Amino acid sequence: MIAISKEFWNDIPLLHVVDQEKKGHALPTLTYIHGFTSAKEHNLPLAYLLAEKGYRVLLPDAMLHGERETDITDIERELRFFDIVKQNLDDIESIYQELVSKELVEGNRFGLAGTSMGGITTAAALTQFSWIKTAGVLMGSPKITAYAEQLISYMKTQQKELPIPDDQLILLIDELKEIDLSLQMEKLFGRPLFFWHGEEDMVVPFDHAYSFYEEAIDHYKNPENIRFLKEIGRGHKVSHFAILEFVNWLEYQL
C-alpha cells in the first residue's frame, strides 16, 4: 500500500509518499519542488508512480505557498520570487540532512526535481550541492540570471516604476550569478539531468533550457546521462506524457 503522510521536517510542511511497508527503510529518494503559486499536493500523481516503483518521494511546500502561505498580495509574492528560490535551497539542504540523520537514503541515491519555479530551483541547487545524484528540470530555466533580467524588463514595461530600487536589482543579479548553472557548467560533474519543456511556453522561455542543453551535452562523457524532451505545441503545463517519461528515466538513473 502506498502511504501519503503529511509531516513537518524542521518546520517545513511536506507530503511523504512511500510504500507503507518500506517507510523506515533506506530507499532511493526524490524531493520534488512545485511551481510558483502551486502547492505540494499538485505533484502527487508523479510521487505515486515513483512510490509504486520503490522510491521515497518528498513533496515540500515552498515559502509563501500551501501551508506556508501568508496574507500577502499576488504582486508582493511575485516580487519575492527569487527570495523563495533561495529559501528553497535552504529547505532542500535541511530535508537532505534530515534524511541522512534518519538513515532513509539508500547510498547516494538522492534526486531533486521540480516544475517551473521548482525546475529553476533544481538547476540552482546543482551549483550548491554535490550530493544531488540525479536532477530533473521540467519547464524551468537553468539560466536564472537571464531569466531575472527578462522578468525585470517585462515588469518595467508593465509599470512606470518598480517598488525595488535599481541598485537593489543590480545586487540581486550579482547574487543570482552565484547560483546560475549556465555560468558554472563544470559543477554538473556528469550527473544525470533530465529536461522537459513545451515549445510554446510563454512563461519560462523554452530556449533557456534548450540552448543550455545543447552546450551542456559536451560536458558529458556519457550523453545518455543528459536528456532533453520537448513537446511541440505545449505551453506552460506539464503533460501526463512528460510525467511518465520522467518517472521511467528516473527508474534508470536513480
Side-chain angles (χ1 to χ4, degrees):
M1 180 187 296
I2 304 302
I4 303 171
S5 309
K6 184 183 287 187
E7 301 174 8
F8 285 84
W9 288 23
N10 300 323
D11 296 325
I12 302 167
L14 56 79
L15 295 179
H16 187 169
V17 186
V18 67
D19 185 323
Q20 181 64 52
E21 294 182 359
K22 300 177 181 177
K23 188 173 183 180
H25 299 181
L27 298 173
T29 300
L30 177 77
T31 296
Y32 197 92
I33 311 298
H34 63 73
F36 188 67
T37 73
S38 186
K40 59 187 182 301
E41 292 82 6
H42 293 189
N43 295 306
L44 277 170
L46 182 149
Y48 186 87
L49 290 171
L50 268 176
E52 279 192 316
K53 294 177 181 291
Y55 292 78
R56 181 190 321 281
V57 184
L58 302 176
L59 305 174
D61 270 328
M63 180 178 78
L64 303 179
H65 289 75
E67 293 184 60
R68 300 169 79 177
E69 190 168 351
T70 59
D71 189 20
I72 64 169
T73 66
D74 291 342
I75 293 176
E76 287 173 328
R77 186 184 289 109
E78 287 176 11
L79 291 172
R80 297 196 64 187
F81 180 89
F82 295 104
D83 290 333
I84 297 168
V85 170
K86 290 183 211 174
Q87 183 60 51
N88 282 345
L89 297 179
D90 290 340
D91 292 349
I92 290 161
E93 185 171 23
S94 178
I95 288 169
Y96 177 75
Q97 289 173 347
E98 190 75 5
L99 281 165
V100 172
S101 69
K102 292 179 177 179
E103 299 182 346
L104 293 177
V105 184
E106 182 183 301
N108 67 339
R109 298 174 71 186
F110 176 85
L112 179 69
T115 302
S116 192
M117 178 182 73
I120 291 170
T121 296
T122 298
L126 288 173
T127 71
Q128 304 297 302
F129 310 128
S130 60
W131 35 258
I132 298 171
K133 180 184 183 296
T134 305
V137 177
L138 283 76
M139 64 187 193
S141 172
K143 299 185 175 185
I144 193 170
T145 307
Y147 182 67
E149 289 171 339
Q150 288 187 16
L151 211 55
I152 290 166
S153 177
Y154 171 77
M155 292 177 76
K156 283 184 174 179
T157 63
Q158 300 301 306
Q159 305 178 48
K160 290 183 178 179
E161 186 175 339
L162 289 179
I164 304 173
D166 283 345
D167 59 340
Q168 287 189 26
L169 292 175
I170 293 170
L171 181 62
L172 169 65
I173 296 299
D174 284 342
E175 290 176 348
L176 292 179
K177 288 177 181 177
E178 297 177 9
I179 57 172
D180 191 323
L181 184 60
S182 69
L183 302 178
Q184 306 170 67
M185 283 198 182
E186 70 279 1
K187 291 186 177 179
L188 285 167
F189 302 126
R191 287 177 286 182
L193 179 57
F194 177 97
F195 287 98
W196 174 87
H197 218 122
E199 284 193 319
E200 303 301 320
D201 192 337
M202 303 301 290
V203 179
V204 180
F206 169 85
D207 182 62
H208 280 201
Y210 193 68
S211 61
F212 174 89
Y213 163 76
E214 289 187 306
E215 185 177 349
I217 197 168
D218 291 334
H219 291 254
Y220 281 79
K221 290 182 180 179
N222 182 0
E224 290 186 4
N225 281 353
I226 182 168
R227 183 185 181 196
F228 194 103
L229 180 64
K230 62 182 175 181
E231 261 190 79
I232 298 171
R234 192 74 183 180
H236 195 69
K237 186 176 181 181
V238 177
S239 65
H240 184 61
F241 167 72
I243 291 172
L244 292 177
E245 287 295 311
F246 179 53
V247 167
N248 290 336
W249 185 84
L250 272 179
E251 190 175 17
Y252 175 69
Q253 296 285 6
L254 185 64

